[in-house]
Amino acid sequence: MGAPSLPGRPHNAYSIAQSSKPPSLLSGGFFCPVARRAGRLRDRTTAMDKVLNKILEEHRREKGNLILLLQRIQETYGFISRENVQWFSDRLDVPASRFFGVITFYPKFRMKPSGKNTLTVCCGAACHIKGAQQLLYASHEALGLAKGEDTTEDLKFTVEKATCIGACNIAPVVILNKQVHGAMDPEKVTKLLTGFAKEDEFIGY
Amino acid sequence: MSTSSVEIKVCLGTSGNAAGGEEVLRLFRHYVFDRAVEARIGTRCEFRKVGCRGFCSKDVLVDVIINGSKTTYQSVKPIMVERIVDDHIVGGGPIPEWMAGDEYTSFHSKQYKIILGPCGEIDPENIDDYIRMNGYRAARKAVTKMTPDGVIDVVTQSGLRGRGGSGFSTGEKWRICRGQKNDTRYIIGNVGEVNRALAEGNPHAIIEGLLIGGYAIGAQKGYLYIRERYHLSVERLRTALDQARDKGFIGKDIFGSGFDFNIEFSFGTESFICGEETALMESIEGKRAMPRYRPPFPAEKGLWGMPTVINNAETFSNIPLIIGMGADWFSSIGTAESKGTKVFTLSGKVKNNGLVEIPMGMPLREIVYSIGGGIAGNRKLKAVQVGGPSGGIIPESMIDMGLDYESLRKVGSIVGSGGMVVFDDEDCIVSVTKFFVEFLQRESCGECTPCRIGTKRMLELLIKITDGTGEIEDLDTLNRLSGIMTASSLCGLGRTASNPFITSFNHFRDEYLAHIRDKKCPAGVCPALVVFMVVPEKCKGCGLCRKACPAGAVTGEIKKAHDINQELCIKCGACYKVCKLKAIKKQ
């Protein structure tokens, strides 16, 4: 469906470069045919380097740690690509394995691009017994996500699970882009998502 | 502050926001301005956004205080604002049908709010509100008039124990840290799930507590460790910190005493293991949050190898009160061993969900029935789970026990994070246990073998039981596993991970046996063991269930008894929920 993903290939920045349009700064890698043909390869890499250098500078100035660095990368790009890890690993002289160790330890770090909007479904104990699982099903259905996927193909939505977010008294809870919605049920989630998708489009054009 | 005044307080905690509190406040401002209300009644109207007052199931809560007499409205929707302004503020007549009823009164009357009290009264984004109610006076007293050891003495005498879970004496912890030879020391405030309301409703209390703690142990730097996802808490704490810095309460030469102290944020990520103090320090240092071996304890060798005190935000909120009101006052609350109050998040199947603060030792029954208002839908109480995922499950027969560190330990539970989930007879205890073990298995950091593999095996066995393929021997295996994990895990997560199973097995053995021997789920929850059927005599053929069924398994003509095709049924229970005639039964 949609994006021509190659079987067995890791879902990295390269495969995104082919599927998403317009190509982002990230996609200006050596293998990106569009960038090469346009002859803008150097511009693009420098543009990306500029962003990364800024992060690196901040990191050095604040004597920050790996988690903060990774948070900043994720804030900038929405996810952490292997290329970015390599870039920092070379410059900071920290083995890439240590980066990946931290990335894979904390569930909030992503190595796949995330959608423009994020729906977080709380799956803590209080939300669980009030039907958080049903909310997950409903949101997957409303967005047409298959089991195991978490981001729509048009990169508009990401659905993620959270452990307790501390709003147990209004369980079950979902968070849509920082806005907490309490006492949800599957219908309300569906309404929220479809309503939001429409609104989003309306503002977008 | 004159005799004639109008004050409007809108609850804007997380759930107040979620219920549309922001819009309600905006509309109040709009109507008061638009109708020139202030000119008409001849007095100024003050608007105040306040933190959560706990009664979240009836949000948005609005207080209208005219000349000192307070009226509380519950479930205020934006559309109701206009009438409140017209009838009450201008007309002077409160609107009885929207006022908070008996539930609100009974919810609050049994509580003892010493640290949650100001939440809901003061504006958390305004430091002057906090100062007006004696804020930062305790810090001033501690820093200018007391010695660090004097502060520690008072805290020790008060009997305050860590609210984060282990229940270690706070004063003792501080004393150990102060006794270390290093010059650099750190103090960390962990803002966890339950502290969210505190951070949103009264952030200055946490900061003041941290400041006093820093002075007592001789730290130069404090950290506020908070999950990034708690946007509102982070925002309010940040505002509070900036204001405190502007006033000179944080920074160099505090209160002219020569004491320097700074507070920084450290943004945690969503990991349950980060509640463990050594794992939390690893996380601040930017590494994988894996617990360290002990000893040395953090108070001896903690963050960056320096002596460190870690306390929960709730513990810190108690500190200004203890310093301000004295150790005797504090130790007069609670039981012999457990002093003070504890905040619990009451959730699950009770009528009044919310945040409650009770004196230590209050019987569980009172919390569920008086404060919680009983079980929703008038069903039967089955059990209460106290202490977050690794707490124990307490059956209905034992709910007369008091809640304090010792009694909870006796029944195999912990105070833990202060989570309290109430289950009714529609909840399957085996399935609930499975849920908790699944959570703990996912959150296990993988450092030590008993926890990493133990939780996994435990989960597999519980899945087997709920799938209807369990055998009697599995229960023995589970018991043996629990023993090993409790005895040999590295940190608290592994040691308490078996609590849900042990307690539920002890008190609900029949339910486990029903799953294994009879292949039945008495509560009708486990999908593999339940069958949904139509009772033809009761079914009037309204078609609700047919429409609700996502799998198209319900068939039948209108006004004739329907039928469920068992092969298509996915056992979601949607038909059971929509049927108004109770014509669908679970078996």
Side-chain angles (χ1 to χ4, degrees):
Chain A
M1 308 205 303
S5 64
L6 302 170
R9 175 168 232 128
H11 197 57
N12 57 18
Y14 169 49
S15 56
I16 284 112
Q18 292 201 319
S19 63
S20 69
K21 48 183 175 168
S24 66
L25 287 179
L26 267 180
S27 59
F30 182 75
F31 295 103
C32 176
V34 184
R36 283 174 72 195
R37 216 168 298 138
R40 270 182 262 137
L41 175 62
R42 199 179 301 147
D43 293 352
R44 273 167 199 268
T45 28
T46 46
M48 187 170 89
D49 273 350
K50 230 182 196 169
V51 177
L52 293 180
N53 266 323
K54 214 177 132 204
I55 298 177
L56 185 69
E57 258 169 49
E58 267 174 48
H59 175 73
R60 285 200 171 127
R61 194 173 54 233
E62 294 172 9
K63 297 195 186 98
N65 58 40
L66 272 195
I67 294 183
L68 292 176
L69 177 66
L70 290 170
Q71 272 174 357
R72 213 159 272 160
I73 301 175
Q74 182 151 313
E75 269 163 29
T76 313
Y77 292 111
F79 74 110
I80 300 159
S81 69
R82 280 159 198 279
E83 287 77 1
N84 284 347
V85 167
Q86 205 55 54
W87 196 93
F88 281 101
S89 162
D90 292 343
R91 281 159 186 78
L92 291 170
D93 202 20
V94 173
S97 62
R98 202 171 298 162
F99 281 85
F100 290 121
V102 174
I103 294 171
T104 50
F105 187 87
Y106 296 103
K108 77 161 203 176
F109 289 126
R110 306 173 52 87
M111 294 195 65
K112 291 180 189 175
S114 62
K116 197 171 140 205
N117 305 295
T118 309
L119 180 84
T120 311
V121 181
C122 177
C123 294
C127 291
H128 174 78
I129 67 160
K130 290 211 171 170
Q133 205 59 42
Q134 260 71 34
L135 301 187
L136 263 180
Y137 289 148
S139 51
H140 269 69
E141 197 153 299
L143 296 171
L145 288 171
K147 209 178 173 190
E149 281 179 17
D150 64 351
T151 306
T152 52
E153 263 171 30
D154 56 3
L155 290 183
K156 250 188 189 154
F157 267 105
T158 294
V159 178
E160 54 177 29
K161 284 204 241 178
T163 58
C164 187
I165 60 154
C168 311
N169 33 30
I170 45 169
V173 180
V174 300
I175 307 178
L176 180 56
N177 296 341
K178 295 194 178 187
Q179 178 69 41
V180 179
H181 299 266
M184 298 302 281
D185 57 41
E187 274 163 38
K188 280 195 206 162
V189 170
T190 313
K191 229 189 214 168
L192 187 70
L193 285 174
T194 46
F196 192 81
K198 266 184 210 150
E199 205 176 283
D200 191 34
E201 253 160 43
F202 177 70
I203 293 167
Y205 293 111
Chain B
M1 294 302 116
S2 61
T3 44
S4 146
S5 69
V6 174
E7 207 178 338
I8 297 156
K9 290 181 177 176
V10 181
C11 174
L12 276 175
T14 293
S15 69
N17 260 336
E22 206 66 70
E23 179 69 7
V24 167
L25 182 64
R26 195 187 67 78
L27 282 175
F28 264 112
R29 282 215 172 97
H30 169 79
Y31 283 121
V32 167
F33 182 75
D34 192 46
R35 316 237 155 132
V37 170
E38 289 182 341
R40 275 157 71 190
I41 58 173
T43 173
R44 288 201 60 81
C45 289
E46 268 187 63
F47 301 94
R48 201 154 277 178
K49 45 170 137 175
V50 297
C52 183
R53 45 187 78 188
F55 199 62
C56 300
S57 38
K58 290 279 157 56
D59 261 325
V60 178
L61 294 165
V62 176
D63 276 353
V64 177
I65 307 165
I66 300 180
N67 298 335
S69 79
K70 180 159 107 177
T71 314
T72 306
Y73 292 104
Q74 64 181 19
S75 309
V76 177
K77 302 267 170 302
I79 201 169
M80 293 154 70
V81 173
E82 191 176 358
R83 205 181 133 195
I84 296 178
V85 171
D86 284 347
D87 288 12
H88 190 174
I89 299 176
V90 179
I95 306 160
E97 65 265 33
W98 292 347
M99 270 155 60
D102 299 340
E103 278 176 347
Y104 185 76
T105 333
S106 71
F107 179 78
H108 284 287
S109 64
K110 292 272 178 179
Q111 292 190 57
Y112 196 79
K113 294 193 166 192
I114 61 169
I115 56 175
L116 282 183
C119 306
E121 294 302 324
I122 64 168
D123 183 345
E125 291 173 13
N126 186 352
I127 192 169
D128 292 324
D129 266 27
Y130 183 65
I131 292 174
R132 207 173 294 141
M133 47 161 291
N134 297 337
Y136 289 103
R137 193 174 281 184
R140 188 184 294 272
K141 181 178 162 192
V143 174
T144 55
K145 294 201 183 112
M146 293 166 84
T147 60
D149 288 316
V151 175
I152 294 178
D153 283 340
V154 173
V155 175
T156 313
Q157 276 163 28
S158 74
L160 175 67
R161 295 167 71 176
R163 299 291 191 246
S166 62
F168 192 75
S169 161
T170 306
E172 281 307 314
K173 200 191 249 182
W174 290 11
R175 197 183 301 283
I176 296 170
C177 184
R178 176 146 189 91
Q180 302 302 311
K181 292 206 176 67
N182 310 51
D183 287 336
T184 315
R185 302 193 183 95
Y186 295 106
I187 188 158
I188 303 172
N190 179 18
V191 187
E193 295 89 355
V194 181
N195 315 127
R196 202 176 157 139
L198 273 177
E200 284 165 14
N202 195 5
H204 284 289
I206 302 174
I207 293 172
E208 190 180 356
L210 201 61
L211 173 64
I212 297 172
Y215 173 71
I217 65 160
Q220 298 80 29
K221 199 167 176 187
Y223 285 95
L224 277 171
Y225 185 84
I226 183 167
R227 316 273 188 286
E228 220 188 355
R229 178 115 57 189
Y230 301 173
H231 307 290
L232 191 61
S233 314
V234 174
E235 217 173 276
R236 295 225 166 126
L237 274 170
R238 200 191 294 272
T239 315
L241 207 53
D242 289 344
Q243 289 171 346
R245 210 169 272 141
D246 286 345
K247 294 256 179 197
F249 299 152
I250 305 287
K252 286 212 175 306
D253 192 21
I254 296 164
F255 302 124
S257 65
F259 168 58
D260 302 339
F261 187 68
N262 219 334
I263 297 179
E264 227 177 67
F265 276 105
S266 178
F267 291 113
T269 60
E270 209 123 318
S271 285
F272 187 64
I273 187 74
C274 288
E276 208 279 341
E277 47 184 18
T278 54
L280 188 151
M281 293 185 310
E282 292 283 305
S283 164
I284 292 183
E285 290 179 13
K287 301 181 201 146
R288 289 165 74 98
M290 287 175 152
R292 299 176 183 170
Y293 290 92
R294 275 177 287 193
F297 288 92
E300 297 153 16
K301 207 170 170 214
L303 189 66
W304 317 108
M306 296 299 163
T308 306
V309 161
I310 299 188
N311 277 129
N312 183 277
E314 193 185 333
T315 318
F316 280 121
S317 299
N318 277 306
I319 301 289
L321 295 167
I322 293 172
I323 300 294
M325 318 259 283
D328 293 338
W329 167 80
F330 188 80
S331 59
S332 68
I333 311 164
T335 64
E337 296 290 321
S338 311
K339 303 293 184 196
T341 61
K342 174 79 190 106
V343 178
F344 285 98
T345 37
L346 184 59
S347 62
K349 304 286 177 70
V350 280
K351 277 188 192 135
N352 307 334
N353 281 293
L355 208 61
V356 302
E357 183 179 352
I358 51 146
M360 287 278 187
M362 185 186 237
L364 196 45
R365 177 185 295 279
E366 254 180 67
I367 300 174
V368 174
Y369 286 101
S370 303
I371 299 176
I375 309 299
N378 288 326
R379 302 196 70 90
K380 207 172 149 302
L381 171 70
K382 186 171 193 176
V384 184
Q385 209 262 4
V386 182
S390 44
I393 295 172
I394 299 165
E396 198 256 343
S397 58
M398 286 165 71
I399 63 163
D400 282 312
M401 64 170 280
L403 283 181
D404 56 64
Y405 292 102
E406 276 66 36
S407 327
L408 279 169
R409 188 166 303 153
K410 235 178 266 164
V411 298
S413 184
I414 50 172
V415 172
S417 59
M420 192 182 279
V421 190
V422 178
F423 303 112
D424 66 10
D425 52 1
E426 273 192 325
D427 291 311
C428 167
I429 292 295
V430 184
S431 160
V432 164
T433 310
K434 184 180 77 176
F435 167 77
F436 286 124
V437 174
E438 191 181 344
F439 173 82
L440 293 164
Q441 186 263 326
R442 201 171 56 226
E443 295 295 324
S444 169
C445 74
E447 188 174 5
C448 69
T449 318
C451 173
R452 182 182 64 236
I453 297 178
T455 48
K456 180 88 186 159
R457 293 289 165 266
M458 210 168 194
L459 177 62
E460 283 168 2
L461 289 170
L462 285 168
I463 290 177
K464 203 174 146 195
I465 293 173
T466 51
D467 277 354
T469 49
E471 294 153 43
I472 293 290
E473 294 79 54
D474 292 341
L475 292 175
D476 291 337
T477 319
L478 276 167
N479 267 318
R480 216 168 56 236
L481 256 177
S482 306
I484 295 170
M485 282 162 65
T486 311
S488 58
S489 290
L490 179 62
C491 78
L493 194 152
R495 280 198 293 271
T496 55
S498 51
N499 277 351
F501 170 73
I502 297 173
T503 49
S504 66
F505 181 67
N506 284 345
H507 302 303
F508 296 94
R509 199 166 295 217
D510 293 347
E511 217 166 311
Y512 278 94
L513 290 177
H515 278 78
I516 296 172
R517 212 181 279 150
D518 314 334
K519 307 289 174 213
K520 278 214 169 104
C521 176
V525 174
C526 302
L529 301 175
V530 64
V531 180
F532 287 91
M533 282 195 293
V534 177
V535 187
E537 302 85 61
K538 282 188 183 169
C539 182
K540 295 244 170 84
C542 66
L544 270 181
C545 53
R546 183 157 36 88
K547 281 176 203 139
C549 181
V554 186
T555 49
E557 285 170 40
I558 226 83
K559 292 196 177 165
K560 278 183 189 159
H562 283 42
D563 190 32
I564 298 174
N565 183 340
Q566 295 303 337
E567 273 170 25
L568 290 176
C569 179
I570 57 165
K571 300 176 185 176
C572 64
C575 51
Y576 181 80
K577 267 183 209 144
V578 294
C579 186
K580 292 187 176 123
L581 301 164
K582 297 201 169 146
I584 291 180
K585 64 173 178 183
K586 290 195 271 193
Q587 259 184 355

